[in-house]
Amino acid sequence: MGTRIRRRLLEIDSFIDAFFYSILEGAKRAIEAYSARLERFNVKGWRRVLVEFFSDAATMGAGGAVLMLALAIPAFDETSDDWLSQNDYSVVFLDRYGNEIGKRGILHNDSVPLDEIPDHMIKATLATEDRRFYQHFGIDFGGTLRAMIENMRAKTVVQGGSSLTQQLAKNLFLTNERTIERKIKEAFLAMWLETHLTKNDILKLYLDRAYLGGGTFGVDAAAEFYFGKSVRDINLAEAAMIAGLFKAPGRYAPHIDLPAARGRANEVLENMVQAGFMTAGQIYAARRNPATPVDRSGVTAPDYFLDWAFEEVKRITGGKAVVLTAKTTIDMNLQKVAEDAVESSLRQYGKQYGASQAAMAMSDLQDGAVRAMVGGRDYGVSQFNRATSALRQPGSSFKPYVYLTALMNGFTPQSIVPDAPITIGGWSPQNYGRRYRGNIPLTTALQYSINTVAVRLAQSVGRDKIVENAYNMGVKTPLVISKSLPLGASEMTVMDQLAGYGTLASGGLKLTPYAIVDIRDGEGNLIYRHSRDEPPRQQVVPADKVSQLNAMLYQAANFGTGRRALFPTAPISGKTGTTNAYRDGWFCGFTGNYVATIWMGNDDFRSTNRMTGGSLPAMTWNKLMSYAHNGIEIKPIPGVGGVPQPEVAAAQVGPDGEAIPAPVPLVLSKQSEILLFQIEKLMREAKPLKPIAPPGPSAEMRAKESGTAAWWRAPEPAQTPPATPANAETETPPDKVVEITIRGN
């Protein structure tokens, strides 16, 4: 029995050995045979170079294709089942006074069919945007190569390489960001569109949904806006002018720059001849008689606000495709001042400070109605709304959330906290200038934007409580809880700050900025009203603690880093913010009537030229808010109170019995203020001079003898601050200011 078992085990072992031996031998013979076959195809000489080149190209191409596909997969998530109907709205927007200010959306049932759009409009579009539209499959490699050659010859970008389908894919699914990832997504989505739609469908969507300036989307809306007629009735010259807007509507819009629009239209006509769509004789009359648009020189649409309001309408109505009229909160007078303030500041000082973009928003404190919104410098160049969508580090403008949480957890404005070095897990935040003041009260710490105090407060009360308070006050962007959170390291939007500071300005009542007052359907029936359908405002933070913080923010704005935001007609509370390497500058502040927040910087996160929140942002904020408070009743800030109004001089009567008007008070221009600040800086930095003559009567005695009184405080010796440390607030704290008072006889 035992012998049989041993024999069986030996047989099994032999079988296993033989099995694996045969596999290994077979593999060995196969490899030898493969090697022998390859040796027959051994290429030498110049042929080997070609073989190696194409082999490497195939390998790299396969790897690149896999990489591009991996990058394109997220883009396909945008192609939901209802992607084609995502803009099926036709909304007319009114301002707060009931005046029409713009339109958004498309209702396909009412749009002009493709066969009713004039042939010259279609030819002008194809000749300019995509001549081989009906020949390619979504990507025109020949057109892309031709554009590259022309751009190399001109040493600048004179032609675009994207096909019409790629441009539609960008308009429907993507943003205007200039990245390789976006171009890859654009290419895949273009091919996806070509497989799901016919060429005529793609062309129709492009003609309907492209932005063409003046707040218009689509050729029919553009024809109505620029020429006062339907696209069915436009002539060749007018079609050429509209087709010229696809490239850069902000630059070639006729109501902005008519000569540029006509020059661009002439290029479109030439393109039609070069493409073979028309002859030189057919376009002769259009060249001799260029299009004359309707006078729209005084018409400006608040496009960034309308985009945001359009999204709010879709959210409120629940996604149904309807014809609507929406009354909004916007005040076009304040909107124009906000736009002019941003543009004038960037035009005058943008190069000096190295800043190219800005975003601003302003709300009424009564209920959060947004009165003005600037989402960028030029809507025609970029439709990205930096007020609602751009995430930026707020810097020290985040500190009010920290201080309010501290006040709610046992601290008071008079609480003494050490301003001294602190290290948390190897991280050591520092103050600007690497200077420390020792034990100081909270009010002083916020006034001078002391970093170490904010970090100590966060350590004491807990960062999670700070974040919870920020959310309760209206911040919607998720905040990252980190050691540098109290210094404003977590990104926020301008609208987040508008809500948070608006809650402070309202005494702790939550302020939710909104755009829509009411919505009516096509028959005039009311389907939504904000005052009726939205919940009442709630007290989200204690009113007494908010009053304490507002008084501290009043000190920060009036005696700290926000002095350039001050204007004489109303008291303000607010806080500046500047991030590392001077990338972002903020000013967030409020009166008893309005709250406004502003960000300035660059889209590419490039550092500015030492721009702080207390410089250009505060100056721009001042332009809007000082205008907004002219001729209105000034309300007190909770915790601050009102402002003493200037005394009105009694009317005097002249010899002829007519009233002599009171003298107009002198108001310095902003440039004069800047010059005075520069003079003040020079005086602070000047070295004290020793008197040469023997000491005589004091200056005060001499002033008294001459009938005047003078006093001053000598400036402290200037110190040169070192480089800005990581996560440090870069607002320069004010030194002692030279003060001079002269009284005449």
Side-chain angles (χ1 to χ4, degrees):
M1 183 70 179
T3 304
R4 262 198 319 272
I5 294 175
R6 286 196 297 271
R7 187 181 300 117
R8 179 62 63 184
L9 291 174
L10 288 173
E11 290 175 354
I12 294 173
D13 181 66
S14 300
F15 174 79
I16 294 174
D17 291 343
F19 175 77
F20 283 106
Y21 177 78
S22 61
I23 290 177
L24 292 174
E25 284 296 316
K28 182 179 178 180
R29 288 194 297 270
I31 293 173
E32 290 175 351
Y34 177 72
S35 300
R37 183 174 295 273
L38 288 180
E39 289 179 358
R40 299 179 185 177
F41 296 98
N42 186 20
V43 181
K44 298 181 180 179
W46 63 271
R47 295 184 179 87
R48 183 180 182 87
V49 176
L50 291 179
V51 171
E52 292 289 343
F53 173 79
F54 285 110
S55 176
D56 292 342
T59 302
M60 292 169 50
V66 172
L67 177 61
M68 287 192 298
L69 184 60
L71 293 174
I73 288 176
F76 293 134
D77 294 337
E78 302 290 339
T79 59
S80 58
D81 294 336
D82 60 344
W83 65 272
L84 194 57
S85 60
Q86 61 185 342
N87 287 328
D88 289 352
Y89 286 81
S90 179
V91 185
V92 175
F93 289 100
L94 312 177
D95 67 7
R96 63 179 299 193
Y97 302 112
N99 303 309
E100 183 176 332
I101 55 174
K103 299 177 181 179
R104 284 293 185 273
I106 302 167
L107 189 63
H108 289 297
N109 293 336
D110 292 346
S111 60
V112 180
L114 185 64
D115 57 7
E116 294 185 18
I117 296 178
D119 185 61
H120 47 257
M121 180 73 251
I122 295 175
K123 288 181 177 178
T125 301
L126 295 179
T128 305
E129 300 300 313
D130 191 352
R131 299 178 186 178
R132 300 182 64 254
F133 172 68
Y134 284 98
Q135 282 76 48
H136 61 67
F137 57 90
I139 303 175
D140 185 7
F141 291 105
T144 301
L145 180 61
R146 181 182 65 252
M148 292 175 60
I149 294 174
E150 291 298 324
N151 293 338
M152 291 175 62
R153 287 177 178 174
K155 296 183 180 180
T156 185
V157 179
V158 295
Q159 290 188 11
S162 296
S163 67
L164 187 147
T165 312
Q166 287 176 271
Q167 295 179 55
L168 177 62
K170 181 187 70 175
N171 293 340
L172 291 177
F173 305 114
L174 305 174
T175 66
N176 288 324
E177 60 176 343
R178 297 185 176 183
T179 62
I180 294 182
E181 181 180 0
R182 194 217 76 189
K183 295 297 292 184
I184 293 173
K185 291 179 180 179
E186 181 184 286
F188 277 95
L189 287 171
M191 291 186 287
W192 186 89
L193 286 173
E194 292 277 349
T195 61
H196 286 75
L197 300 173
T198 66
K199 285 287 188 179
N200 285 347
D201 290 338
I202 293 172
L203 178 59
K204 181 64 173 62
L205 279 173
Y206 183 76
L207 293 173
D208 277 348
R209 300 194 178 184
Y211 178 69
L212 295 173
T216 62
F217 289 80
V219 293
D220 191 47
E224 181 66 35
F225 181 79
Y226 294 118
F227 304 111
K229 62 179 73 173
S230 170
V231 70
R232 298 180 177 92
D233 304 321
I234 61 174
N235 57 37
L236 176 59
E238 294 165 344
M241 186 171 287
I242 292 176
L245 296 172
F246 288 110
K247 180 179 181 180
R251 187 187 312 168
Y252 299 120
H255 70 299
I256 295 177
D257 191 340
L258 183 57
R262 285 177 170 171
R264 176 63 177 164
N266 195 54
E267 294 179 11
V268 173
L269 294 171
E270 183 64 27
N271 290 338
M272 296 175 72
V273 175
Q274 293 178 357
F277 294 159
M278 283 190 172
T279 64
Q282 289 174 309
I283 68 169
Y284 179 77
R287 282 186 166 179
R288 290 292 304 270
N289 301 284
T292 301
V294 176
D295 184 12
R296 302 277 187 182
S297 56
V299 177
T300 56
D303 291 313
Y304 290 109
F305 175 84
L306 290 180
D307 286 348
W308 177 55
F310 186 46
E311 294 301 318
E312 289 295 293
V313 168
K314 292 192 288 185
R315 178 185 63 82
I316 292 170
T317 57
K320 297 179 181 179
V322 289
V323 178
L324 302 169
T325 299
K327 185 177 182 180
T328 69
T329 59
I330 196 166
D331 186 313
M332 288 304 296
N333 291 325
L334 294 175
Q335 175 67 22
K336 186 177 187 306
V337 173
E339 293 174 353
D340 290 346
V342 167
E343 178 58 29
S344 63
S345 292
L346 290 176
R347 187 190 303 116
Q348 188 173 2
Y349 302 109
K351 187 175 182 181
Q352 172 185 341
Y353 282 105
S356 60
Q357 275 295 352
M360 177 186 278
M362 174 187 184
S363 279
D364 193 315
L365 292 180
Q366 183 176 357
D367 58 356
V370 174
R371 300 304 186 198
M373 175 184 287
V374 179
R377 189 173 183 179
D378 190 336
Y379 187 83
V381 174
S382 170
Q383 291 86 55
F384 178 66
N385 193 332
R386 295 157 186 82
T388 61
S389 303
L391 294 174
R392 312 289 184 184
Q393 289 186 342
S396 287
S397 65
F398 184 80
K399 289 177 181 176
Y401 303 102
V402 180
Y403 279 76
L404 178 62
T405 308
L407 294 174
M408 293 169 58
N409 286 271
F411 288 85
T412 69
Q414 293 76 36
S415 295
I416 302 300
V417 179
D419 173 21
I422 180 175
T423 299
I424 304 173
W427 176 64
S428 300
Q430 296 174 331
N431 299 326
Y432 181 79
R434 301 178 186 269
R435 294 179 295 180
Y436 303 96
R437 291 174 169 80
N439 295 331
I440 56 175
L442 289 191
T443 298
T444 302
L446 184 58
Q447 176 179 333
Y448 293 105
S449 198
I450 305 299
N451 286 337
T452 60
V453 172
V455 173
R456 289 181 191 276
L457 292 177
Q459 282 289 100
S460 177
V461 302
R463 300 180 186 89
D464 55 337
K465 292 182 180 179
I466 297 172
V467 170
E468 181 182 359
N469 262 342
Y471 291 156
N472 291 337
M473 294 166 65
V475 174
K476 295 182 178 180
T477 302
L479 299 175
V480 179
I481 299 179
S482 63
K483 292 177 288 187
S484 56
L485 170 74
L487 303 186
S490 188
E491 295 175 328
M492 304 171 71
T493 67
V494 168
M495 296 301 288
D496 286 330
Q497 294 284 62
L498 188 71
Y501 277 76
T503 300
L504 296 177
S506 302
L509 285 173
K510 183 176 182 179
L511 183 136
T512 302
Y514 72 96
I516 306 300
V517 175
D518 59 50
I519 302 175
R520 298 180 182 272
D521 61 19
E523 299 178 356
N525 300 316
L526 182 69
I527 61 177
Y528 169 84
R529 175 166 286 165
H530 182 271
S531 59
R532 181 194 68 187
D533 300 323
E534 297 296 335
R537 299 175 67 181
Q538 297 179 349
Q539 190 78 32
V540 293
V541 285
D544 58 333
K545 305 303 180 184
V546 170
S547 294
Q548 292 176 352
L549 179 62
N550 288 349
M552 297 166 67
L553 290 173
Y554 176 83
Q555 293 290 114
N558 287 263
F559 307 105
T561 57
R563 288 172 294 175
R564 290 184 180 178
L566 302 179
F567 55 92
T569 54
I572 74 168
S573 294
K575 186 70 184 74
T576 58
T578 312
T579 59
N580 287 343
Y582 299 93
R583 287 191 176 90
D584 307 282
W586 292 77
F587 188 81
C588 307
F590 50 87
T591 66
N593 300 75
Y594 295 104
V595 58
T597 56
I598 181 171
W599 163 88
M600 304 188 86
N602 297 296
D603 282 341
D604 57 3
F605 300 101
R606 175 170 40 88
S607 297
T608 65
N609 185 19
R610 300 182 68 85
M611 182 190 72
T612 65
S615 58
L616 196 56
M619 294 160 55
T620 309
W621 187 93
N622 172 287
K623 295 178 182 179
L624 171 61
M625 292 291 273
S626 59
Y627 174 86
H629 289 80
N630 284 332
I632 65 173
E633 179 185 355
I634 304 301
K635 299 178 181 179
I637 299 173
V640 176
V643 61
Q645 297 300 311
E647 296 182 0
V648 180
Q652 299 180 6
V653 180
D656 54 359
E658 294 184 358
I660 300 176
V664 178
L666 177 63
V667 179
L668 293 177
S669 67
K670 188 57 62 178
Q671 186 66 27
S672 299
E673 291 182 14
I674 294 173
L675 291 175
L676 287 177
F677 277 118
Q678 293 174 346
I679 294 172
E680 174 191 332
K681 180 180 178 182
L682 292 174
M683 294 177 68
R684 289 202 311 267
E685 295 177 351
K687 296 181 179 179
L689 298 176
K690 296 181 179 180
I692 300 176
S698 66
E700 185 175 357
M701 292 297 297
R702 291 196 301 270
K704 287 182 178 180
E705 292 174 359
S706 61
T708 63
W711 61 272
W712 59 86
R713 294 202 306 270
E716 294 180 349
Q719 298 183 14
T720 303
T724 305
N727 293 316
E729 168 63 35
T730 54
E731 307 294 337
T732 304
D735 296 321
K736 291 187 177 180
V737 180
V738 177
E739 303 178 16
I740 300 177
T741 302
I742 305 292
R743 293 196 304 271
N745 293 330

